[in-house]
Amino acid sequence: MESLNFVKGYGKVNPAEDNPNSPPNHYRRRRRRIIAIFLAVFLTVVIASLITALIHESATESEESEPSQLASNSAESLKTVCSVTRYPDSCFASISPLNSPPSNNPFRFFNLSLHASLLEVSSLKSQLTEQKGDPAMKDCGELFDDAASELGRSAELICVGPGEKVFTEMRISDLQTWVSAAMTDLDTCLEGLAEMGSTAVSEFKLKVQKSQEYMSNTLAILNNIQSLFQKFGLTLP
Ligand SMILES: *[C@@H]1O[C@H](CO)[C@@H](O)[C@H](O)[C@H]1NC(C)=O
């Protein structure tokens, strides 16, 4: 039918047309309608698949931030916890080597951050430079001892008996006090060292600052512990 019409109409010249070989009007209308229908169907299919893809993608995205997904990947979990700190890179670098066997629990990360701080400040004592005789250095040695004992007490405080709650308001407050006190001890040491100018002292200052960063990270995790547990879909121990 289509081709018959075409053949019949072929050669009929429409004077309004520039091209004498153009198919007749009624055929072109029909063809346009077919093209329009085809386009409509095609676009519907394309749009439908785009919407499906978008829905799928957003579903995948929301899955990624779901607690179960977060908890299944230790490195991702640690990144999430470290993201609340002021020094996320040093947070990650200090905790991840201690995280063995791999865990993804914010309490464990807090504990490891505390232990990393303790290890770091304890190693400072043995690294006191050859200028040990200097009064500022001597003071630093004592301040490191104080800081280590404050962090040690903090580490003991979170070793609770079975069924006992770790993060009571009282314990959180004590932990905040002790970790802050340890940071202040290192501040005092740095103030004393400020007047000493050798290269060895400058390097030593950097080590003291590194310890301070670890403490700052520990404090930040502690200050955000409730919201971190919520994010992981876990209840505060
Ligand atoms: C904290 O971590 C240290 C070092 O891994 C471990 O010895 C200690 O038992 C942990 N404390 C708690 C309360 O899990």
Side-chain angles (χ1 to χ4, degrees):
M1 184 67 179
E2 194 63 42
S3 60
L4 253 175
N5 275 345
F6 180 77
V7 172
K8 252 200 286 186
Y10 190 74
K12 241 193 230 170
V13 176
N14 185 342
E17 287 290 336
D18 291 340
N19 182 357
N21 289 330
S22 289
N25 265 340
H26 72 277
Y27 172 71
R28 287 193 317 180
R29 266 202 303 275
R30 206 190 178 106
R31 198 175 59 177
R32 271 199 214 119
R33 213 162 48 218
I34 291 169
I35 290 173
I37 291 169
F38 173 77
L39 273 178
V41 170
F42 177 74
L43 283 177
T44 309
V45 170
V46 167
I47 290 169
S49 27
L50 274 177
I51 290 172
T52 312
L54 279 176
I55 289 172
H56 180 75
E57 196 175 316
S58 65
T60 317
E61 255 168 27
S62 66
E63 263 169 30
E64 271 166 13
S65 52
E66 260 177 27
S68 54
Q69 287 270 322
L70 202 55
S72 69
N73 183 326
S74 182
E76 276 311 306
S77 305
L78 181 52
K79 262 185 207 150
T80 304
V81 168
C82 287
S83 72
V84 306
T85 68
R86 203 168 146 195
Y87 311 100
D89 292 342
S90 86
C91 171
F92 192 87
S94 64
I95 296 176
S96 83
L98 300 176
N99 187 27
S100 167
S103 159
N104 39 40
N105 184 293
F107 174 50
R108 169 118 166 115
F109 292 145
F110 169 71
N111 181 36
L112 293 181
S113 179
L114 184 59
H115 275 265
S117 309
L118 184 53
L119 288 175
E120 202 62 28
V121 79
S122 305
S123 83
L124 283 177
K125 186 93 191 263
S126 62
Q127 295 179 71
L128 282 173
T129 62
E130 63 275 14
Q131 288 145 299
K132 274 190 193 82
D134 189 282
M137 279 290 175
K138 206 164 154 280
D139 285 349
C140 281
E142 280 162 23
L143 290 160
F144 298 155
D145 285 342
D146 292 347
S149 95
E150 281 141 6
L151 296 176
R153 276 166 82 187
S154 304
E156 276 169 28
L157 191 65
I158 59 173
C159 293
V160 298
E164 218 183 321
K165 215 163 153 38
V166 183
F167 293 107
T168 60
E169 232 170 90
M170 181 83 159
R171 271 207 194 85
I172 290 179
S173 164
D174 283 347
L175 290 168
Q176 282 167 336
T177 305
W178 293 338
V179 179
S180 303
M183 284 180 77
T184 307
D185 288 333
L186 299 206
D187 263 338
T188 310
C189 162
L190 285 171
E191 277 164 25
L193 295 182
E195 277 126 58
M196 299 175 66
S198 75
T199 318
V201 171
S202 308
E203 277 167 21
F204 187 65
K205 278 186 208 158
L206 290 179
K207 287 176 186 158
V208 177
Q209 277 159 1
K210 187 176 163 198
S211 284
Q212 249 184 340
E213 279 187 14
Y214 286 13
M215 293 174 195
S216 156
N217 295 336
T218 306
L219 205 50
I221 298 172
L222 178 65
N223 291 341
N224 290 278
I225 199 79
Q226 191 131 26
S227 68
L228 283 170
F229 268 90
Q230 255 162 25
K231 205 178 253 183
F232 280 71
L234 301 168
T235 48
L236 206 59

